[in-house]
Amino acid sequence: MTSTFPDISISTERLVLRPFDTDDVPALTAMMNDEQVTAWTDAPTPFTELSARTWIGEEAPTLRASGHGLDLAVTEFLTQRLVGVIRLHGTDWQVRSTELSYIVAPWARGEGYACEAALATAQWLFGDQKLQRVELRTAADNTAAQQVAQKIGCISEGVLRGACIARARTGDGGWSHVRTDYIVWSLLPEDVEGADGQLADSGGFSAYPDWN
């Protein structure tokens, strides 16, 4: 029987991770049109308000209902401002594993939200959902995303050669597809034990302003 993730919220010291709602459409649209988001994701470009409404109203509910994953809006606790996205996908309920990816809005970079949201999600997955493996894949040239993976305790497992299609600006201002490698990272339950303390000892959720 296919399992599904619950329709829940996750709270941290500074963030609330929750289901998307239609009030998020303007902020999500602006975030997804950032050049770094376009470069490192396969989101439509330009990303319109219709794209945002389709994601929120159709794609995210379908992803959760199918058992394949979960999309969460990352918001600031104090302001309720949308600052990013956490996406779980490729979930295998027999293996008890899922792939985690993330985006942070350009105006919210430099605050350490990437590490805080990703770590909280992993801890929830291992604790409440009893998963045994969380996988992350970062493009070989996206060094800031790799630093976030390292910061939360991920172990690099190897390289998938030529497995990632990114985008690069062309001379006329458009976008072209470029092939690059994926670096595969994993987290197991034992990898995040005491992770909050380790982050505190190293100065907290350090900022990596260019990551996606």
Side-chain angles (χ1 to χ4, degrees):
M1 179 182 295
T2 301
S3 297
T4 59
F5 290 113
D7 199 13
I8 52 83
S9 295
I10 302 169
S11 296
T12 73
E13 180 181 350
R14 301 182 299 167
L15 302 173
V16 176
L17 285 62
R18 58 161 175 78
F20 280 97
D21 61 48
T22 54
D23 289 342
D24 297 318
V25 166
L28 180 62
T29 303
M31 175 174 62
M32 297 303 293
N33 280 303
D34 174 66
E35 290 217 351
Q36 290 190 46
V37 175
T38 300
W40 298 117
T41 73
D42 61 358
T45 181
F47 193 93
T48 65
E49 287 205 352
L50 178 59
S51 303
R53 291 184 185 280
T54 300
W55 184 354
I56 291 170
E58 300 177 19
E59 295 172 4
T62 298
L63 179 71
R64 190 179 78 84
S66 69
H68 293 158
L70 180 69
D71 289 336
L72 293 171
V74 181
T75 64
E76 287 182 326
F77 175 75
L78 292 178
T79 67
Q80 300 183 29
R81 180 178 63 160
L82 180 71
V83 298
V85 178
I86 287 285
R87 165 165 268 212
L88 306 175
H89 50 104
T91 307
D92 187 324
W93 291 98
Q94 181 174 357
V95 178
R96 309 299 296 181
S97 69
T98 194
E99 184 177 341
L100 185 153
S101 57
Y102 34 73
I103 300 168
V104 165
W107 56 87
R109 293 172 190 154
E111 300 295 333
Y113 289 152
C115 294
E116 189 168 342
L119 181 59
T121 304
Q123 291 172 327
W124 172 73
L125 289 168
F126 294 141
D128 290 14
Q129 300 302 297
K130 309 303 180 187
L131 265 64
Q132 296 298 308
R133 173 183 169 88
V134 173
E135 184 174 303
L136 292 79
R137 299 185 181 191
T138 61
D141 297 326
N142 195 347
T143 56
Q146 295 159 28
Q147 290 174 315
V148 171
Q150 291 173 326
K151 187 72 173 180
I152 65 172
C154 292
I155 304 299
S156 176
E157 295 186 331
V159 175
L160 297 178
R161 297 184 300 165
C164 176
I165 300 295
R167 286 182 280 212
R169 277 292 189 187
T170 58
D172 61 2
W175 292 95
S176 64
H177 288 122
V178 292
R179 184 174 294 276
T180 186
D181 300 337
Y182 264 136
I183 300 176
V184 180
W185 307 81
S186 68
L187 271 176
L188 303 183
E190 57 266 29
D191 297 329
V192 299
E193 293 177 2
D196 289 330
Q198 294 170 13
L199 283 167
D201 292 342
S202 61
F205 294 100
S206 299
Y208 299 105
D210 296 332
W211 76 274
N212 286 299

